[in-house]
PDB file of all heavy atoms in Angstrom:
ATOM      1  N   PHE P 138     -29.811  54.323-112.473  1.00 95.00           N
ATOM      2  CA  PHE P 138     -30.745  53.577-113.229  1.00 95.00           C
ATOM      3  C   PHE P 138     -30.462  52.148-113.374  1.00 95.00           C
ATOM      4  O   PHE P 138     -31.346  51.294-113.582  1.00 95.00           O
ATOM      5  CB  PHE P 138     -30.888  54.346-114.691  1.00 95.00           C
ATOM      6  CG  PHE P 138     -31.583  55.602-114.565  1.00 95.00           C
ATOM      7  CD1 PHE P 138     -31.100  56.723-115.227  1.00 95.00           C
ATOM      8  CD2 PHE P 138     -32.835  55.763-113.850  1.00 95.00           C
ATOM      9  CE1 PHE P 138     -31.744  57.980-115.111  1.00 95.00           C
ATOM     10  CE2 PHE P 138     -33.568  56.940-113.878  1.00 95.00           C
ATOM     11  CZ  PHE P 138     -33.003  58.080-114.450  1.00 95.00           C
ATOM     12  N   PHE P 139     -29.080  51.759-113.510  1.00 95.00           N
ATOM     13  CA  PHE P 139     -28.724  50.452-113.440  1.00 95.00           C
ATOM     14  C   PHE P 139     -29.128  49.759-112.200  1.00 95.00           C
ATOM     15  O   PHE P 139     -29.776  48.655-112.246  1.00 95.00           O
ATOM     16  CB  PHE P 139     -27.161  50.219-113.516  1.00 95.00           C
ATOM     17  CG  PHE P 139     -26.716  48.841-113.410  1.00 95.00           C
ATOM     18  CD1 PHE P 139     -26.905  48.021-114.663  1.00 95.00           C
ATOM     19  CD2 PHE P 139     -26.075  48.431-112.337  1.00 95.00           C
ATOM     20  CE1 PHE P 139     -26.532  46.748-114.526  1.00 95.00           C
ATOM     21  CE2 PHE P 139     -25.608  47.019-112.261  1.00 95.00           C
ATOM     22  CZ  PHE P 139     -25.824  46.255-113.336  1.00 95.00           C
ATOM     23  N   GLN P 140     -29.159  50.359-111.001  1.00 96.00           N
ATOM     24  CA  GLN P 140     -29.619  49.805-109.723  1.00 96.00           C
ATOM     25  C   GLN P 140     -31.142  49.521-109.863  1.00 96.00           C
ATOM     26  O   GLN P 140     -31.680  48.547-109.434  1.00 96.00           O
ATOM     27  CB  GLN P 140     -29.305  50.508-108.580  1.00 96.00           C
ATOM     28  CG  GLN P 140     -27.870  50.600-108.155  1.00 96.00           C
ATOM     29  CD  GLN P 140     -27.676  51.401-107.005  1.00 96.00           C
ATOM     30  OE1 GLN P 140     -28.156  51.326-105.953  1.00 96.00           O
ATOM     31  NE2 GLN P 140     -26.804  52.501-107.191  1.00 96.00           N
ATOM     32  N   ALA P 141     -31.895  50.528-110.443  1.00 96.00           N
ATOM     33  CA  ALA P 141     -33.321  50.405-110.682  1.00 96.00           C
ATOM     34  C   ALA P 141     -33.588  49.145-111.451  1.00 96.00           C
ATOM     35  O   ALA P 141     -34.584  48.271-111.200  1.00 96.00           O
ATOM     36  CB  ALA P 141     -33.851  51.652-111.383  1.00 96.00           C
ATOM     37  N   CYS P 142     -32.837  48.825-112.645  1.00 96.00           N
ATOM     38  CA  CYS P 142     -32.939  47.785-113.372  1.00 96.00           C
ATOM     39  C   CYS P 142     -32.706  46.382-112.573  1.00 96.00           C
ATOM     40  O   CYS P 142     -33.395  45.460-112.715  1.00 96.00           O
ATOM     41  CB  CYS P 142     -32.011  47.853-114.582  1.00 96.00           C
ATOM     42  SG  CYS P 142     -31.470  46.258-115.341  1.00 96.00           S
ATOM     43  N   VAL P 143     -31.750  46.384-111.788  1.00 96.00           N
ATOM     44  CA  VAL P 143     -31.442  45.304-110.911  1.00 96.00           C
ATOM     45  C   VAL P 143     -32.717  44.945-110.010  1.00 96.00           C
ATOM     46  O   VAL P 143     -33.191  43.850-109.807  1.00 96.00           O
ATOM     47  CB  VAL P 143     -30.220  45.519-110.065  1.00 96.00           C
ATOM     48  CG1 VAL P 143     -30.065  44.310-109.063  1.00 96.00           C
ATOM     49  CG2 VAL P 143     -29.002  45.572-110.914  1.00 96.00           C
ATOM     50  N   SER P 144     -33.258  46.096-109.363  1.00 96.00           N
ATOM     51  CA  SER P 144     -34.291  45.861-108.478  1.00 96.00           C
ATOM     52  C   SER P 144     -35.659  45.502-109.186  1.00 96.00           C
ATOM     53  O   SER P 144     -36.427  44.693-108.694  1.00 96.00           O
ATOM     54  CB  SER P 144     -34.650  47.204-107.710  1.00 96.00           C
ATOM     55  OG  SER P 144     -33.530  47.540-107.014  1.00 96.00           O
ATOM     56  N   ASP P 145     -35.904  46.085-110.438  1.00 96.00           N
ATOM     57  CA  ASP P 145     -37.052  45.765-111.233  1.00 96.00           C
ATOM     58  C   ASP P 145     -36.651  45.503-112.593  1.00 96.00           C
ATOM     59  O   ASP P 145     -36.551  46.417-113.501  1.00 96.00           O
ATOM     60  CB  ASP P 145     -38.086  46.731-111.054  1.00 96.00           C
ATOM     61  CG  ASP P 145     -39.429  46.569-111.900  1.00 96.00           C
ATOM     62  OD1 ASP P 145     -39.476  45.449-112.575  1.00 96.00           O
ATOM     63  OD2 ASP P 145     -40.186  47.414-111.964  1.00 96.00           O
ATOM     64  N   PRO P 146     -36.542  44.141-113.124  1.00 96.00           N
ATOM     65  CA  PRO P 146     -35.969  43.880-114.362  1.00 96.00           C
ATOM     66  C   PRO P 146     -36.915  44.424-115.534  1.00 96.00           C
ATOM     67  O   PRO P 146     -36.262  44.555-116.644  1.00 96.00           O
ATOM     68  CB  PRO P 146     -35.994  42.297-114.348  1.00 96.00           C
ATOM     69  CG  PRO P 146     -35.777  41.956-113.031  1.00 96.00           C
ATOM     70  CD  PRO P 146     -36.628  42.938-112.256  1.00 96.00           C
ATOM     71  N   SER P 147     -38.033  44.732-115.215  1.00 96.00           N
ATOM     72  CA  SER P 147     -39.000  45.380-116.304  1.00 96.00           C
ATOM     73  C   SER P 147     -38.438  46.714-116.762  1.00 96.00           C
ATOM     74  O   SER P 147     -38.840  47.220-117.798  1.00 96.00           O
ATOM     75  CB  SER P 147     -40.329  45.436-115.886  1.00 96.00           C
ATOM     76  OG  SER P 147     -40.549  46.444-114.868  1.00 96.00           O
ATOM     77  N   LEU P 148     -37.518  47.321-115.913  1.00 96.00           N
ATOM     78  CA  LEU P 148     -36.951  48.701-116.303  1.00 96.00           C
ATOM     79  C   LEU P 148     -35.630  48.560-116.963  1.00 96.00           C
ATOM     80  O   LEU P 148     -35.109  49.638-117.237  1.00 96.00           O
ATOM     81  CB  LEU P 148     -36.900  49.519-114.984  1.00 96.00           C
ATOM     82  CG  LEU P 148     -38.137  49.834-114.253  1.00 96.00           C
ATOM     83  CD1 LEU P 148     -37.847  50.775-113.051  1.00 96.00           C
ATOM     84  CD2 LEU P 148     -39.128  50.553-115.186  1.00 96.00           C
ATOM     85  N   CYS P 149     -35.136  47.312-117.348  1.00 95.00           N
ATOM     86  CA  CYS P 149     -33.849  47.199-117.927  1.00 95.00           C
ATOM     87  C   CYS P 149     -34.065  47.647-119.422  1.00 95.00           C
ATOM     88  O   CYS P 149     -32.952  48.076-119.964  1.00 95.00           O
ATOM     89  CB  CYS P 149     -33.416  45.704-117.904  1.00 95.00           C
ATOM     90  SG  CYS P 149     -33.046  45.281-116.151  1.00 95.00           S
ATOM     91  N   GLU P 150     -35.206  47.644-120.082  1.00 94.00           N
ATOM     92  CA  GLU P 150     -35.377  48.111-121.305  1.00 94.00           C
ATOM     93  C   GLU P 150     -35.483  49.676-121.261  1.00 94.00           C
ATOM     94  O   GLU P 150     -36.002  50.152-120.342  1.00 94.00           O
ATOM     95  CB  GLU P 150     -36.627  47.576-121.885  1.00 94.00           C
ATOM     96  CG  GLU P 150     -36.547  45.961-122.294  1.00 94.00           C
ATOM     97  CD  GLU P 150     -35.497  45.621-123.362  1.00 94.00           C
ATOM     98  OE1 GLU P 150     -35.295  46.506-124.228  1.00 94.00           O
ATOM     99  OE2 GLU P 150     -35.017  44.550-123.272  1.00 94.00           O
ATOM    100  N   ARG P 151     -35.112  50.219-122.289  1.00 93.00           N
ATOM    101  CA  ARG P 151     -34.889  51.778-122.393  1.00 93.00           C
ATOM    102  C   ARG P 151     -36.442  52.415-122.251  1.00 93.00           C
ATOM    103  O   ARG P 151     -36.606  53.285-121.541  1.00 93.00           O
ATOM    104  CB  ARG P 151     -34.164  52.219-123.615  1.00 93.00           C
ATOM    105  CG  ARG P 151     -33.895  53.713-123.495  1.00 93.00           C
ATOM    106  CD  ARG P 151     -32.815  53.932-124.641  1.00 93.00           C
ATOM    107  NE  ARG P 151     -32.517  55.423-124.708  1.00 93.00           N
ATOM    108  CZ  ARG P 151     -31.676  56.072-123.805  1.00 93.00           C
ATOM    109  NH1 ARG P 151     -31.189  55.401-122.841  1.00 93.00           N
ATOM    110  NH2 ARG P 151     -31.588  57.254-123.926  1.00 93.00           N
ATOM    111  N   ALA P 152     -37.239  51.733-123.169  1.00 94.00           N
ATOM    112  CA  ALA P 152     -38.595  52.421-123.236  1.00 94.00           C
ATOM    113  C   ALA P 152     -39.388  52.405-122.005  1.00 94.00           C
ATOM    114  O   ALA P 152     -39.821  53.449-121.536  1.00 94.00           O
ATOM    115  CB  ALA P 152     -39.424  51.733-124.452  1.00 94.00           C
ATOM    116  N   PRO P 153     -39.474  51.263-121.272  1.00 96.00           N
ATOM    117  CA  PRO P 153     -40.164  51.252-120.032  1.00 96.00           C
ATOM    118  C   PRO P 153     -39.583  52.156-118.955  1.00 96.00           C
ATOM    119  O   PRO P 153     -40.196  52.890-118.032  1.00 96.00           O
ATOM    120  CB  PRO P 153     -40.214  49.869-119.620  1.00 96.00           C
ATOM    121  CG  PRO P 153     -39.552  49.002-120.649  1.00 96.00           C
ATOM    122  CD  PRO P 153     -38.992  49.891-121.703  1.00 96.00           C
ATOM    123  N   LEU P 154     -38.215  52.290-119.015  1.00 96.00           N
ATOM    124  CA  LEU P 154     -37.435  53.081-118.031  1.00 96.00           C
ATOM    125  C   LEU P 154     -37.814  54.577-118.298  1.00 96.00           C
ATOM    126  O   LEU P 154     -38.128  55.387-117.342  1.00 96.00           O
ATOM    127  CB  LEU P 154     -35.896  52.844-118.127  1.00 96.00           C
ATOM    128  CG  LEU P 154     -35.095  53.615-117.251  1.00 96.00           C
ATOM    129  CD1 LEU P 154     -35.292  53.444-115.804  1.00 96.00           C
ATOM    130  CD2 LEU P 154     -33.561  53.456-117.457  1.00 96.00           C
ATOM    131  N   ILE P 155     -37.769  55.096-119.539  1.00 96.00           N
ATOM    132  CA  ILE P 155     -38.249  56.312-119.912  1.00 96.00           C
ATOM    133  C   ILE P 155     -39.658  56.610-119.414  1.00 96.00           C
ATOM    134  O   ILE P 155     -39.999  57.694-118.876  1.00 96.00           O
ATOM    135  CB  ILE P 155     -37.956  56.669-121.437  1.00 96.00           C
ATOM    136  CG1 ILE P 155     -36.468  56.650-121.697  1.00 96.00           C
ATOM    137  CG2 ILE P 155     -38.694  57.972-121.915  1.00 96.00           C
ATOM    138  CD1 ILE P 155     -36.097  56.745-123.185  1.00 96.00           C
TER     139      ILE P 155
END
Side-chain angles (χ1 to χ4, degrees):
Chain P
F138 287 131
F139 175 73
Q140 286 181 58
C142 155
V143 171
S144 295
D145 180 0
S147 74
L148 297 180
C149 294
E150 294 290 330
R151 193 167 174 79
L154 178 60
I155 289 175

